[in-house]
Amino acid sequence: MTSEASISNIACEPCPGEADTTSPAGQALPLAKERLAAARAAFVTRRVELGDARTLLTKAAPRAGDVVLARVKRLRHHAKLQCANGRRVQLFHGDEIVVCYGDRYAPQQFEAYVPATIGPCHLVASGGVAAQAVNWHQRIQRGPTEIEVLGILGDADGRALNLRHYALQPQRSEVPRPRLIVVAGTSMDSGKTTAGAHLVRGLSRAGLRVGAAKVTGTGACNDYFLMQDAGAAVVLDFTDAGHVSTYRVGEPAIRRIVETLSAELGRHELDVAVLEVADGLVQAETAWLLSAAWFRHAIDGVVFCAQDAMGAKAGVDWLEQRGHEVLAVSGVLTAAPLAMREAGDLVQQPVIGLDGLSDRYVSRSLLARDARGAELCNARAG
């Protein structure tokens, strides 16, 4: 379905480097701390020090990552908001919420962009993403929840607050980096996050210190807390690197996100980390990242998730053509024994279901495919 709103009322795609600029200051109105405290703050704002907000900018030009105060106008698809503590709070008409401007790529939900001006737009992700929805899946019959951005939060000097101001800074670590296993898939809802969580569980049960990071996607708490529940000692995502979403951020920004999160994982003396790459192989940022030689050299293999056998075959071929070592196939298809058998007939890699990924021996076998991995597993087993 297509929104009645004009597609011309969205911000232009940023040029290289433009995403690092701050929003120009506009009319700055005083913002009472009591009003801000009463507003519901979304998950994507969890790193923001809201005490820095002293003003409300009503004339500034919106930028991705700007932290905004918005009012709920009409509840539709997203009737709840994910908060920083993982709680989903029910929204009501007239509620004021603290969310962030950001683009969204989600074929099963919304195509949405940062609007060109402050005012009416939509809540396009329950993690707290405000954008102008231009298309959505036909199953979302009610359309997106309507909100009105009242202004961008500003500091005492009228400078806009943006997620980038609170991001982790890239660091060089003298500690050897953990082994990095990537989970990728054919598309959204191919089972990547679930497979990644079960792999974290299995590696943790094998006695390894495990971390997890989602390096691309749209900010939400589901994946974040699932990895914690599975046993990850450290969990990060791209919002920790200053981005509410990675759609349209550009290749340099994607590399900075990966390097920043990898360095942070390295600081925690992990044995292994599971990195999830969102969406599917045809999505622009995903395709670029998985085609980049520097990324291929930085990781130690890929677990590929698919919804069916043909998708598994096509995805494995695509990755191998770009030099990746595909360790296993998993995902939605493993819910059906027949689909698993079909995939097994098409690919050389083992096809592993969730029970297998969470098994300490199976998960260790994926890690111990080379001398360094085998040494690590043997040391922890001892």
Side-chain angles (χ1 to χ4, degrees):
M1 299 183 67
T2 302
S3 169
E4 296 178 358
S6 171
I7 296 180
S8 63
N9 189 36
I10 60 175
C12 296
E13 182 175 356
C15 297
E18 184 181 0
D20 292 327
T21 63
T22 57
S23 297
Q27 182 177 354
L29 304 177
L31 178 62
K33 63 179 182 180
E34 293 82 8
R35 181 182 185 185
L36 187 60
R40 304 284 196 178
F43 175 78
V44 297
T45 69
R46 72 188 187 282
R47 292 187 63 86
V48 176
E49 180 51 65
L50 292 179
D52 294 341
R54 304 294 181 81
T55 57
L56 195 62
L57 310 181
T58 60
K59 301 296 183 183
R63 301 283 184 180
D66 281 344
V67 185
V68 305
L69 181 67
R71 180 177 294 130
V72 177
K73 301 297 289 184
R74 181 178 297 180
L75 291 173
R76 288 187 171 175
H77 183 67
H78 288 114
K80 293 185 177 182
L81 185 72
Q82 298 174 0
C83 294
N85 62 3
R87 183 168 179 262
R88 292 167 176 78
V89 297
Q90 178 65 50
L91 295 175
F92 295 89
H93 175 80
D95 279 353
E96 291 190 351
I97 56 177
V98 179
V99 294
C100 290
Y101 277 131
D103 298 328
R104 186 169 194 204
Y105 170 96
Q108 300 299 317
Q109 289 201 23
F110 299 103
E111 177 189 1
Y113 302 92
V114 175
T117 57
I118 291 174
C121 62
H122 303 109
L123 182 66
V124 297
S126 60
V129 182
Q132 183 68 55
V134 297
N135 289 295
W136 52 86
H137 196 282
Q138 65 179 6
R139 68 179 174 81
I140 302 177
Q141 297 180 355
R142 300 179 64 196
T145 288
E146 299 174 13
I147 62 175
E148 181 179 5
V149 173
L150 306 174
I152 298 170
L153 299 187
D155 63 14
D157 295 320
R159 292 185 294 259
L161 303 189
N162 190 286
L163 287 192
R164 290 185 296 279
H165 304 155
Y166 302 92
L168 292 168
Q169 296 303 310
Q171 299 180 18
R172 291 189 177 276
S173 174
E174 301 302 324
V175 179
R177 69 166 178 82
R179 306 286 281 176
L180 300 177
I181 298 179
V182 167
V183 178
T186 52
S187 64
M188 180 180 179
D189 295 337
S190 58
K192 300 181 296 296
T193 302
T194 304
H198 280 77
L199 181 58
V200 167
R201 180 63 175 167
L203 293 168
S204 297
R205 294 176 66 189
L208 300 170
R209 182 169 167 80
V210 187
K214 188 168 185 176
V215 297
T216 63
T218 301
C221 74
N222 298 8
D223 302 355
Y224 184 92
F225 289 111
L226 178 60
M227 294 302 176
Q228 285 188 350
D229 293 344
V234 181
V235 182
L236 303 168
D237 70 10
F238 45 86
T239 62
D240 292 299
H243 293 271
V244 65
S245 160
T246 56
Y247 182 37
R248 301 202 312 159
V249 300
E251 296 174 5
I254 294 292
R255 181 164 185 170
R256 283 195 301 273
I257 291 169
V258 173
E259 291 177 344
T260 298
L261 299 184
S262 297
E264 181 65 17
L265 289 169
R267 287 199 322 107
H268 293 273
E269 300 183 357
L270 303 169
D271 296 313
V272 59
V274 176
L275 306 184
E276 181 183 347
V277 179
D279 303 309
L281 299 181
V282 300
Q283 201 272 343
E285 286 77 23
T286 297
W288 176 81
L289 181 60
L290 291 173
S291 298
W294 66 266
F295 186 65
R296 182 178 71 252
H297 294 312
I299 66 174
D300 298 287
V302 179
V303 173
F304 187 71
C305 296
Q307 295 174 316
D308 56 37
M310 184 56 69
K313 170 63 174 173
V316 168
D317 288 349
W318 189 96
L319 290 165
E320 290 183 336
Q321 288 168 7
R322 288 156 178 80
H324 286 287
E325 181 181 10
V326 181
L327 304 176
V329 168
S330 191
V332 171
L333 72 85
T334 64
L338 178 57
M340 291 183 68
R341 188 167 72 244
E342 290 175 340
D345 291 339
L346 294 177
V347 301
Q348 295 182 340
Q349 291 78 8
V351 181
I352 305 176
L354 300 181
D355 288 342
L357 291 175
S358 61
D359 182 273
R360 59 179 176 171
Y361 299 109
V362 175
S363 61
R364 279 181 51 179
S365 72
L366 297 180
L367 191 62
R369 292 170 66 96
D370 58 31
R372 183 185 168 201
E375 182 181 358
L376 174 62
C377 290
N378 290 335
R380 290 297 179 265

